[in-house]
Amino acid sequence: MRQGGQTKVVDACKTVNAEAKPLNNLNEMLKKIILTAKHCGIPVSDNIAENVAVNYRATNRFGLCRKTPRGFEIEVTYRLIDADEKSCMTVLAHEALHTCSGCMNHKKLWKSYAEIMNKALGLNITNTSSCVGLGVEDISKVR
């Protein structure tokens, strides 16, 4: 929802200002990732939505790449609010790589692209990430 020039994310319980750092830079981070990938010869899609969505209900995943009729949408969990820029970049790059043809999984091709991006941006893109690795609080319930 857009109000007064500021982006707000609304869920059933609350309205949260999405301009908190580092989430306010997500769109710019995604642009940098896409440009870097293309510079490295990684065929990320030309049809990635320019606005990263922030999901305030996702607790068991850090990001999601969704194929839509118009291309791809990338979303991240609100839990990245407490993460540093490198962690946000890692999640965004992970999801952007899923836009490459044949990379909606974490098989050999996706892993080869992840390694290229790791070297180019100094990240640690893997097929899974942990709360500790991304610097976010583990809110999972102990069984």
Side-chain angles (χ1 to χ4, degrees):
M1 178 190 331
R2 189 137 177 95
Q3 294 179 338
Q6 291 188 342
T7 302
K8 303 261 186 184
V9 178
V10 179
D11 74 11
C13 301
K14 61 184 176 182
T15 301
V16 179
N17 187 344
E19 293 188 354
K21 191 175 182 183
L23 292 183
N24 62 331
N25 295 321
L26 289 174
N27 298 337
E28 291 303 315
M29 287 183 221
L30 181 59
K31 286 180 192 175
K32 179 180 179 180
I33 288 163
I34 292 168
L35 288 173
T36 301
K38 290 183 181 219
H39 178 76
C40 292
I42 299 172
V44 293
S45 175
D46 291 326
N47 296 313
I48 301 172
E50 63 184 37
N51 292 317
V52 176
V54 178
N55 186 324
Y56 281 81
R57 297 186 324 161
T59 58
N60 294 324
R61 67 173 182 260
F62 297 110
L64 174 73
C65 177
R66 179 181 297 116
K67 176 89 171 105
T68 70
R70 288 176 267 148
F72 294 91
E73 295 174 351
I74 293 176
E75 73 177 38
V76 297
T77 178
Y78 74 96
R79 295 174 62 212
L80 290 177
I81 289 170
D82 296 327
D84 61 19
E85 183 173 321
K86 186 173 180 178
S87 295
C88 292
M89 292 277 289
T90 298
V91 172
L92 289 170
H94 174 120
E95 300 308 333
L97 292 177
H98 285 305
T99 71
C100 300
S101 180
C103 289
M104 280 306 271
N105 53 40
H106 298 116
K107 293 189 177 175
K108 189 175 182 178
L109 183 59
W110 183 92
K111 288 177 182 176
S112 69
Y113 291 154
E115 188 58 35
I116 293 168
M117 291 297 284
N118 285 339
K119 289 178 183 170
L121 293 171
L123 302 176
N124 185 27
I125 305 164
T126 61
N127 60 336
T128 60
S129 294
S130 68
C131 293
V132 172
L134 292 176
V136 298
E137 180 183 1
D138 186 351
I139 60 172
S140 60
K141 295 178 182 175
V142 177
R143 295 182 185 203

